[in-house]
Amino acid sequence: MTKELSAMLQACSYDGKALKVDAKAMTGSTEAEGTAAVGKIMRFTGLPQNFTVMESDVPNAAAIIVMGDDGIPKRVIAYNRQFMSDVAKATGTSDWPGTSILAHEIGHHLSGHTLMPGGSQPPIELEADKFSGFVLFKMGATLPDAEKAIATLIPEADGPTHPGRQKRLKAVQAGWLQSCEQQQADCGDDTVVAAAEPRAPIASQSAAPQPAAPTMARAPSPAPQAAAPETAAAQMPKIPGPLDIEMPSPNGGKVIGPAVIDQIPKLAADAVPSKFDRFVYDDVGVFDPAVREKLETIAYQFAAAANVEVVTVVTKDLQGRDPDQYALDFMHQMRVGKMDVGNGAVLVVASNDKKVGAALGPGLRVLFENDDSPKRRLNDFLKIVDGGGEPQRVSSTISGAAYRIMNQAKTQQWQIRYPTFAAYDAADRKIMEERSKATTPYDPAKDPVSNALLRLQATVISKSPDMNDSSLMVNEPRSRYVGPAMQVRTDDGRDIVLYVNHAVPQLMPLPLEEGKRYSFIARDTILRSGAPQLDLLSYDRLD
């Protein structure tokens, strides 16, 4: 682990102040309250945990990314026990304010926020606040309960990284109302509460393998945020293949209950994004309950084991959008996949319009360069519906498209292996040198650089570089399939070509601009001509 968390660059404290914390001072805790609070929140998110919780001398609470002993960044929520006690005293209550603070930090990690130096971008702080309000309603909080911490602790004026009190209260309210409306409750009264029970099927979620249990770590080095490569295969759920399209029901073909009807949030360009809470949305009632439960279970287990999120949406209203654009807008507003590595997919069936669509995060897009099989499988659904197919076969066909993506994505790496371009470049040079001396055939599976994810800081030189520049050697087929090439330059003058899928800017809070400096997350492409060639997954502005 690094000597100081600040050396890892990534941290977001609850009040927006920059952190400088001795990593060795981060310890496990025997405190039952902190363990129980995080565990309870996670039960209501509907998502697997991708972080470790640790007690620390941070001023309040913070979502942090630190370097593990294995050289791979890890996600941590650090909290100050005394601060939590002080919050209870300041707000006059012992439960909801502290819960909302932890939920805010959990929202950062579940959404895959990159948490840049000096704090954060204001838009993602509002995302975390909205997530907090969303989860607290599900847990049984009134709107005043959900707002109490911000109303008491946050100043009115905007800060450089965190918005002011009223903006943050509005985001909490938006999340609380969205959660309330999804349960189709009477949301006009801010004292209405949910039943405070996690959404079914609980058995499916509790049975799924969890990469990081909601307990305090005992050692100062955080546990991995996802399954290690050697254990991932053992944790991976059995994903149905093409021949399993008509899957038997877990109950032998019997209907296990009425179809679940979801309230799908209204998509709006000005809406604050917030993390989704289920892997299947159906406001029509197309899904056979047994088939839906199986898909939800496998999607949850797959997200825990492979760190890839695949969400299926059946809707009667595309809200005036093309189905592919609807899928992309849904991915953005519901934060499907982790923002930093682009590992989400949204499949859409508009049953009334007889249209289908799909959106793949930037990290998944390259797997389907010349393959539209997910959408072909969704179109098979339309054929079956026209032929009067049985509900189980209809919904199983939709599920097949999701399983197709899972089967393709399960072999990819989804953790950032190299924290800097220099670390990636050194490893790449070492591998190239070893290959030049090797007497056995090259094995990409044993290459630690091949398809690896890395972080780099660089300035955008040109969003439309010269395709004939021999020093860059832009790969024209890749710019066609993945996205247009962009030239960036590191602080030490190294030119790099990034391929930018059209979805990347649409999924980020801020645009890409020439002359501006960013922290990029990218994937190795195995192209070794001219300047380094990488696929862009996400970015954060540094100045």
Side-chain angles (χ1 to χ4, degrees):
M1 182 178 286
T2 53
K3 293 181 179 179
E4 292 181 344
L5 297 184
S6 58
M8 191 53 222
L9 301 178
Q10 299 141 275
C12 173
S13 63
Y14 187 72
D15 61 2
K17 294 179 181 177
L19 296 178
K20 188 174 183 180
V21 182
D22 184 354
K24 293 181 180 180
M26 292 180 66
T27 63
S29 172
T30 58
E31 184 196 22
E33 290 184 9
T35 302
V38 171
K40 185 176 181 181
I41 293 168
M42 288 306 302
R43 287 179 62 228
F44 285 86
T45 67
L47 299 168
Q49 185 171 321
N50 70 328
F51 56 86
T52 298
V53 182
M54 305 192 78
E55 188 176 346
S56 177
D57 60 354
V58 293
N60 39 71
I64 300 172
I65 302 177
V66 299
M67 185 73 77
D69 292 331
D70 57 2
I72 296 176
K74 305 291 191 289
R75 289 186 175 271
V76 174
I77 287 178
Y79 78 100
N80 184 306
R81 188 190 306 189
Q82 184 59 50
F83 168 74
M84 290 300 186
S85 177
D86 292 343
V87 167
K89 293 176 183 177
T91 59
T93 179
S94 60
D95 294 326
W96 293 121
T99 300
S100 70
I101 291 169
L102 289 175
H104 173 99
E105 305 304 342
I106 288 170
H108 278 306
H109 283 323
L110 294 184
S111 299
H113 294 158
T114 51
L115 312 174
M116 291 313 300
S120 178
Q121 305 282 0
I124 69 170
E125 289 309 314
L126 296 179
E127 285 190 31
D129 286 330
K130 186 176 179 181
F131 176 82
S132 175
F134 183 89
V135 172
L136 260 66
F137 173 83
K138 293 173 70 175
M139 296 178 71
T142 65
L143 181 55
D145 289 335
E147 295 177 325
K148 189 69 172 179
I150 288 176
T152 305
L153 304 173
I154 301 302
E156 187 64 45
D158 290 347
T161 63
H162 285 50
R165 181 188 306 143
Q166 291 306 313
K167 292 177 182 177
R168 296 188 64 176
L169 287 174
K170 185 177 180 181
V172 171
Q173 181 184 44
W176 188 91
L177 286 172
Q178 179 179 311
S179 186
C180 181
E181 290 164 0
Q182 280 194 4
Q183 295 194 23
Q184 302 182 50
D186 178 7
C187 303
D189 181 354
D190 65 7
T191 63
V192 67
V193 297
E197 287 295 332
R199 183 180 178 277
I202 293 304
S204 302
Q205 295 181 359
S206 62
Q210 302 214 13
T215 58
M216 300 295 180
R218 294 293 298 168
S221 181
Q225 59 190 296
E230 61 271 18
T231 60
Q235 294 186 350
M236 196 76 67
K238 184 181 185 305
I239 304 169
L243 299 180
D244 303 313
I245 194 82
E246 293 184 68
M247 300 174 290
S249 165
N251 280 3
K254 296 179 182 178
V255 175
I256 62 175
V260 176
I261 304 296
D262 298 291
Q263 185 77 21
I264 299 177
K266 187 75 173 177
L267 304 182
D270 60 349
V272 174
S274 182
K275 193 68 179 176
F276 71 97
D277 70 334
R278 62 200 68 181
F279 289 90
V280 178
Y281 290 80
D282 178 7
D283 68 1
V284 180
V286 163
F287 265 95
D288 169 81
V291 175
R292 173 173 178 152
E293 181 176 0
K294 181 171 184 177
L295 176 57
E296 287 182 322
T297 300
I298 291 176
Y300 177 92
Q301 292 175 340
F302 187 73
N307 201 29
V308 175
E309 299 169 359
V310 182
V311 172
T312 304
V313 182
V314 180
T315 180
K316 56 179 176 282
D317 182 11
L318 290 172
Q319 302 175 22
R321 292 167 168 81
D322 167 271
D324 287 342
Q325 187 62 48
Y326 180 95
L328 183 60
D329 290 346
F330 188 98
M331 176 184 289
H332 172 259
Q333 188 165 317
M334 304 299 284
R335 275 295 172 232
V336 179
K338 302 295 187 283
M339 193 198 312
D340 53 355
V341 296
N343 57 350
V346 174
L347 300 173
V348 172
V349 172
S351 57
N352 289 358
D353 294 334
K354 294 188 177 180
K355 294 180 180 179
V356 299
L360 300 174
L364 287 173
R365 177 66 185 86
V366 70
L367 298 178
F368 294 89
E369 286 181 4
N370 301 301
D371 183 357
D372 65 349
S373 58
K375 286 185 68 173
R376 285 204 311 272
R377 290 173 187 270
L378 292 179
N379 276 309
D380 287 342
F381 154 80
L382 298 178
K383 297 175 186 176
I384 294 171
V385 169
D386 286 341
E390 293 295 321
Q392 191 178 53
R393 185 166 184 240
V394 166
S395 47
S396 294
T397 304
I398 301 174
S399 301
Y403 296 140
R404 168 63 176 158
I405 292 176
M406 294 180 205
N407 275 308
Q408 283 286 91
K410 64 185 178 183
T411 59
Q412 285 284 73
Q413 299 178 39
W414 296 106
Q415 283 185 298
I416 300 171
R417 186 179 184 91
Y418 299 103
T420 65
F421 177 77
Y424 160 82
D425 191 47
D428 188 40
R429 291 175 184 274
K430 181 179 179 181
I431 290 297
M432 294 300 291
E433 182 180 349
E434 290 174 354
R435 285 179 62 182
S436 67
K437 300 175 182 178
T439 57
T440 56
Y442 169 67
D443 182 359
K446 297 180 180 179
D447 183 345
V449 172
S450 177
N451 285 312
L453 301 182
L454 65 141
R455 183 185 297 274
L456 66 141
Q457 296 185 2
T459 300
V460 176
I461 302 302
S462 175
K463 294 173 66 176
S464 54
D466 184 355
M467 301 289 283
N468 297 314
D469 187 335
S470 59
S471 66
L472 297 178
M473 293 291 286
V474 173
N475 186 281
E476 193 275 332
R478 199 163 198 88
S479 65
R480 204 161 8 102
Y481 289 123
V482 176
M486 179 173 71
Q487 179 187 359
V488 303
R489 185 168 294 156
T490 62
D491 295 342
D492 60 359
R494 187 79 178 272
D495 281 337
I496 298 170
V497 175
L498 297 177
Y499 296 92
V500 186
N501 179 262
H502 78 283
V504 175
Q506 295 190 53
L507 295 172
M508 296 294 106
L510 299 171
L512 282 167
E513 300 179 51
E514 292 182 354
K516 300 295 185 181
R517 188 166 170 266
Y518 297 84
S519 173
F520 298 104
I521 293 176
R523 188 183 291 279
D524 171 76
T525 64
I526 324 180
L527 298 173
R528 295 293 182 268
S529 58
Q533 315 277 311
L534 306 169
D535 292 338
L536 179 63
L537 304 187
S538 66
Y539 58 85
D540 268 304
R541 272 275 297 274
L542 294 178
D543 53 23

